[in-house]
Amino acid sequence: MIRFTRRLLLALAAGTALVAPPAKAQPSFPNRTLTVIVPFAAGGPTDTVSRLVAEAMGRDLGQTMVVENVGGAGGTLGAQRVANARPDGHTVLLHHIGMATTPTLYRRLAYDPVAGYEPIGLVTDVPMTLIARHNFPATTLAEAVAIIQRDTDKLNYANAGIGAASHLCGLLLMSAVNAPMTTVPFRGTGPAMQELLAGRIDLMCDQTTNTTEQILGNQVKAYAVTTPARIGALPNLPTSAEGGLPAFEVSVWHGLYAPRGTPAEIVNRLSHALQVALRDPRLVARFRELGTEPVAQDRATPAAHRAFWQADIAKWRPIIQAAGQFAD
Ligand code: ASP
């Protein structure tokens, strides 16, 4: 005998078959808050990119993605944290070009800077800018170069440690103008920017994701963007080639990594969320305001990321070896 329950009656009335609703898929991943480790201080350019990505990825993953800043030692402390994290996809690393230089620059590390990770996808290529304290006595790149060559190591140049993008950019500048400056390392260029704004640091080269607003607000002097063409967010800022230093060109790629041994389906789920995040209109608009844009969708994949990363390690190895600059 059929018991005419309310549900059965409703189903009959609606002419629907009485089948159990499909069990709601219980995704085992992610099953709690995720953490993105940023290997530099809060308030800096990598942090800014990471917070935008984490917020948008969290929406797609249905879990909050929090950013944790683990700065110091040119990004190696944060990178080490992720290499040693549980490989379940809940802890990932958002790092930049330093992932390509660290394997050569650091000959003694307590983790494997290459095999320690599963690449998830590339994120963005961010231009760099050469900036100075607001009262630095130069208006153009040529004037700044003349002062750097005259005062050399009386000037101080901020960076985020050996292997940081600001370190590489500084090396490029100093070798292009053939003048060393005193370098002052910080846990990230967020804190370095505070010192530059206070007039205690003379010069810095940093991603536009940390400098665009200060440049537009005339809080700092800006001399060049280190890309082949001017960028939309800073249309009045000449390129380094326009300013007479074509060799001073670099942009900072960023990628997302899981610890080695993270299952492929989890890496792929994270990559999918990254691809969705990089099309998020709010993220795209904010990236554009900060002088950058997301990579094309086919670069935000594990395979494209791995190939690019490996090629960049190979590109930087002879440059670093020839310069004889090592972190140890
Ligand atoms: N811009 C820094 C660097 O020089 C890192 C940061 O603070 O995000 O690599």
Side-chain angles (χ1 to χ4, degrees):
M1 218 176 106
I2 302 173
R3 271 186 62 215
F4 282 88
T5 62
R6 188 175 149 72
R7 195 170 135 242
L8 176 62
L9 286 170
L10 284 174
L12 289 174
T16 54
L18 190 70
V19 288
K24 203 162 179 251
Q26 269 308 315
S28 55
F29 175 80
N31 55 30
R32 59 178 192 282
T33 298
L34 300 107
T35 302
V36 186
I37 302 285
V38 175
F40 298 104
T46 316
D47 179 69
T48 297
V49 165
S50 303
R51 284 175 197 271
L52 292 164
V53 170
E55 199 197 317
M57 279 184 75
R59 272 198 289 280
D60 184 65
L61 291 164
Q63 291 281 350
T64 308
M65 216 170 182
V66 298
V67 168
E68 188 181 336
N69 300 89
V70 183
T76 56
L77 298 184
Q80 175 168 359
R81 172 82 75 86
V82 177
N84 293 333
R86 188 140 46 106
D88 62 5
H90 289 89
T91 307
V92 293
L93 172 72
L94 205 153
H95 199 345
H96 60 37
I97 193 169
M99 287 295 279
T101 54
T102 294
T104 310
L105 275 171
Y106 287 78
R107 292 179 290 195
R108 274 190 286 270
L109 285 171
Y111 66 100
D112 190 322
V114 182
Y117 306 94
E118 312 289 347
I120 295 168
L122 294 164
V123 177
T124 178
D125 298 303
V126 186
M128 300 287 272
T129 48
L130 178 64
I131 60 169
R133 59 180 156 79
H134 68 98
N135 51 0
F136 195 73
T139 309
T140 63
L141 181 59
E143 287 170 17
V145 167
I147 294 174
I148 293 169
Q149 288 171 330
R150 188 192 67 207
D151 293 345
T152 59
D153 52 7
K154 277 191 242 132
L155 298 172
N156 59 38
Y157 173 91
N159 72 22
I162 294 184
S166 44
H167 168 239
L168 300 173
C169 196
L171 286 182
L172 216 55
L173 173 67
M174 291 179 222
S175 83
V177 305
N178 198 20
M181 287 181 270
T182 304
T183 52
V184 184
F186 290 82
R187 279 181 308 107
T189 45
M193 174 63 92
Q194 296 310 314
E195 290 300 290
L196 190 136
L197 289 171
R200 290 187 284 268
I201 286 290
D202 296 309
L203 291 141
M204 176 163 78
C205 182
D206 204 17
Q207 289 108 295
T208 55
T209 44
N210 193 37
T211 62
T212 300
E213 286 170 353
Q214 291 83 344
I215 294 171
L216 292 174
N218 292 320
Q219 293 166 277
V220 299
K221 292 250 176 88
Y223 301 118
V225 59
T226 63
T227 40
R230 291 191 184 201
I231 58 169
L234 295 166
N236 298 327
L237 187 62
T239 65
S240 32
E242 281 179 78
L245 280 186
F248 180 45
E249 201 185 288
V250 60
S251 83
V252 181
W253 62 271
H254 294 61
L256 193 66
Y257 304 79
R260 168 179 39 198
T262 306
E265 61 273 21
I266 291 182
V267 171
N268 289 336
R269 177 69 190 94
L270 287 164
S271 176
H272 174 81
L274 174 64
Q275 290 165 30
V276 171
L278 295 181
R279 291 196 303 268
D280 181 293
R282 273 181 281 179
L283 176 142
V284 174
R286 189 67 185 132
F287 267 27
R288 197 159 291 152
E289 278 170 3
L290 294 172
T292 192
E293 54 186 66
V295 295
Q297 193 173 341
D298 62 354
R299 294 183 69 213
T301 60
H305 184 179
R306 185 181 295 281
F308 182 84
W309 180 29
Q310 281 171 350
D312 216 45
I313 292 172
K315 178 183 124 184
W316 280 100
R317 189 177 298 123
I319 300 173
I320 294 166
Q321 283 169 342
Q325 293 245 358
F326 299 102
D328 48 7

